[in-house]
Amino acid sequence: MTTSTLAPTTPATTGERVLPPLRIGRHVIDSPVVLAPMAGITNRAFRRLCREAGDAGLAASGLTGASSLYVNEMVTSRALVERTPESMRLIEHDEDERPRSVQLYSVDPATTGAAVRMLVTEDRADHIDLNFGCPVPKVTRKGGGAALPWKRDLFRGIVSAAVTEAARADVPVTVKMRKGIDDEHLTYLEAAQAAVEEGVAAVALHGRTASQAYSGQADWSAIKLLKETITSVPVLGNGDIWSAEDALAMVEQTGCDGVVVGRGCLGRPWLFADLAAAFAGAEVRVTPTLGEVKDTLRRHAELLTDFYAGDELRACRDIRKHIAWYLKGFPAGSTVRNQLALVDSLAALDRLIETMDPTSPWPGAAAEGQRGRAGSSRVVALPENWLASRELDEDQRAQVAAAEQSVADGG
C-alpha cells in the first residue's frame, strides 16, 4: 500500500533511536508501539491495514506498521470458553500476523484460567492482555474493566490464573488499566505492583480514570509515577497520542518504555508507520493525498468483506463509521459524506469515492488532533456497595459470577 506524498524511492534517513525495541516476555517488538484494543475497530481487517501501512520510502528503511504489536478487540473469557461463533471469529489472525495478541475481559479467575488454557493449548495466541481499563457502564456496573482493580483479591486472582496457564506455553501476559475508578478511588500503583508480583510481562496505563471516560486530558504524570515505581517490567503509556510527535512527547515526559495508541489511529492506519519512523529517529511522516486515502478506505472495505466471509452489506455497514475519520480535513463535500454514511455495497462505495478529487493534498492541521468521541466525565456505574470494601463480600462474589455469564451472553 502506498499512502504518502513522500518520494517513493528515497529511503527515510534515520538518526539515533529514541527507544530500544520493546520486550514483552519472549517477544521483541522493534517499534515500541501497541495498538489498543477497540471494540468494533481492531478486528483482523483493521490490524492488517495498520501492518501494511507506510510508503515505499519508509519501507526501504524498514519503517512500516509491520513492526508494532497489534491487539485484537476485547473478548470475554466466558464466551471464549463456550466457543461462541462471534468470540471465535474475533480471535482470528492472519497467517503472517505475529505475535498473535488477544485481549481478554473477565471477572472470574476460574473462567480466566480456562480461557487462557484454551488459547495456549490450541496455539491460538502468542500474547495475552487482560482488560482492566474499560470504562463502559455495562462493563463497570458488573465489576469489570476499570472497576475491577478496586477489589484486590479478585484482581490478583484473575492475573494469577492467566499467568499460570499462559506460562505452560511461554506466552506472556500483560495488563492494561486506568488510574482508577475516580480521583477518590485510584488503584493503578497498587494494582500494577500486584500484577508484577503475579508475573506479568508489562503494564500499560491509560492516564484517565473510569469517571473521565475519554474526556479532558490524559494525566501523563501518572504514567511517569508508574514508570518510577515499576522498574522490573516495561511500562507503557496510553492517552492523547494523536500523532508521532505526541508519542515522542509522552516518552520524554514520562520515561515510559513504549506507547499504546487507540483513537489516534482512527481513519489513520498509517500512523503506525509514522510512529516507527519517529522512534527510529526519522523526521519523515506519511502525508497522503485524498486519492491515497480513498485507496486505503477501499482496501479497508475489501478486508472487512473478507473478515465477514464475503458479506458486503455487513462490511459496508462497518466501514460507515470510519468514513468521517478518513475524510477529516479533506474537501470531500457534505453530500458525498452523507451518501457514504449509507453505502451498502463495494460498487456503491466505488461510485462515491470516484467523485472526490484524488489530487487534493494532505490538509495538515485540519486532519490532525482528536478523533472519536470524547464524551464527558460521569459517575461510574458500579455493583451495589462496590466501594464499601477493597475485598469481595459473598453477595459480590455471586454478582460477579453471574456477570461473567451475562457479558458472555451479550448482556
Side-chain angles (χ1 to χ4, degrees):
M1 180 185 69
T2 57
T3 55
S4 175
T5 55
L6 298 172
T9 58
T10 305
T13 301
T14 58
E16 184 176 351
R17 283 191 69 127
V18 175
L19 283 179
L22 176 63
R23 294 183 178 272
I24 297 180
R26 58 188 168 91
H27 305 303
V28 178
I29 313 302
D30 189 62
S31 178
V33 178
V34 179
L35 168 66
M38 291 180 282
I41 301 291
T42 59
N43 49 43
R44 176 165 52 87
F46 186 72
R47 298 197 309 272
R48 183 170 189 84
L49 202 66
C50 294
R51 290 187 295 116
E52 290 178 345
D55 77 342
L58 289 173
S61 301
L63 305 176
T64 69
S67 56
S68 298
L69 175 65
Y70 297 94
V71 186
N72 73 345
E73 50 188 313
M74 182 183 79
V75 180
T76 67
S77 294
R78 174 69 67 180
L80 199 55
V81 170
E82 295 178 355
R83 296 178 181 269
T84 65
E86 181 67 5
S87 67
M88 299 305 290
R89 188 169 60 80
L90 288 178
I91 64 170
E92 291 177 357
H93 293 82
D94 286 329
E95 287 290 330
D96 60 347
E97 186 174 359
R98 292 291 187 276
R100 298 163 300 168
S101 182
V102 173
Q103 189 188 63
L104 294 179
Y105 160 91
S106 183
V107 292
D108 174 60
T111 310
T112 303
V116 174
R117 188 180 314 124
M118 169 196 165
L119 288 170
V120 300
T121 58
E122 297 180 13
D123 189 26
R124 294 178 180 271
D126 305 304
H127 162 241
I128 293 170
D129 186 57
L130 299 177
N131 183 307
F132 298 112
C134 182
V136 176
K138 72 175 183 179
V139 170
T140 59
R141 72 164 51 98
K142 294 170 181 175
L148 197 146
W150 179 254
K151 298 298 186 181
R152 299 185 183 98
D153 54 346
L154 181 59
F155 177 81
R156 272 191 182 269
I158 289 173
V159 174
S160 177
V163 171
T164 298
E165 292 295 339
R168 302 178 191 276
D170 195 21
V171 171
V173 174
T174 59
V175 297
K176 186 172 185 291
M177 62 183 69
R178 285 184 173 237
K179 290 171 58 182
I181 293 172
D182 53 37
D183 286 338
E184 286 69 49
H185 301 89
L186 300 178
T187 56
Y188 71 103
L189 288 177
E190 182 180 26
Q193 290 172 314
V196 171
E197 290 169 6
E198 296 298 334
V200 300
V203 177
L205 177 65
H206 184 154
R208 286 183 171 90
T209 62
S211 176
Q212 286 180 273
Y214 298 96
S215 65
Q217 285 189 311
D219 178 12
W220 289 2
S221 69
I223 299 169
K224 182 176 186 293
L225 179 57
L226 182 62
K227 173 58 184 172
E228 292 169 349
T229 304
I230 302 298
T231 58
S232 58
V233 302
V235 170
L236 310 178
N238 178 218
D240 293 350
I241 296 178
W242 310 110
S243 67
E245 285 62 41
D246 290 333
L248 295 175
M250 176 183 280
V251 170
E252 181 180 5
Q253 293 178 33
T254 69
C256 63
D257 301 292
V259 299
V260 180
V261 177
R263 294 174 297 151
C265 69
L266 297 176
R268 298 179 65 193
W270 54 85
L271 177 59
F272 293 94
D274 276 356
L275 289 162
F279 282 122
E283 296 184 358
V284 292
R285 299 292 180 266
V286 182
T287 55
T289 63
L290 181 53
E292 291 166 326
V293 170
K294 290 182 347 182
D295 290 344
T296 304
L297 171 59
R298 182 58 165 76
R299 173 68 171 155
H300 194 171
E302 287 177 358
L303 292 170
L304 284 170
T305 302
D306 176 68
F307 179 64
Y308 291 121
D311 189 339
E312 279 193 30
L313 178 57
R314 190 173 182 185
C316 287
R317 285 174 174 169
D318 193 322
I319 201 67
R320 292 171 186 172
K321 64 176 173 280
H322 296 268
I323 300 295
W325 299 325
Y326 274 117
L327 299 182
K328 182 180 179 182
F330 282 103
S334 60
T335 300
V336 173
R337 290 173 188 267
N338 292 337
Q339 291 175 330
L340 282 168
L342 301 173
V343 70
D344 58 4
S345 69
L346 294 181
L349 178 63
D350 288 337
R351 287 194 298 271
L352 289 169
I353 62 177
E354 186 65 27
T355 66
M356 294 185 285
D357 181 6
T359 65
S360 294
W362 177 249
E368 304 288 350
Q370 183 168 308
R371 290 159 179 267
R373 295 178 180 177
S376 58
S377 59
R378 61 199 179 206
V379 175
V380 181
L382 297 168
E384 186 176 0
N385 298 320
W386 193 252
L387 297 178
S389 168
R390 295 299 306 274
E391 314 300 329
L392 287 173
D393 60 32
E394 289 305 313
D395 287 342
Q396 289 167 350
R397 288 185 187 279
Q399 280 182 307
V400 297
E404 183 85 12
Q405 183 63 56
S406 175
V407 172
D409 293 338

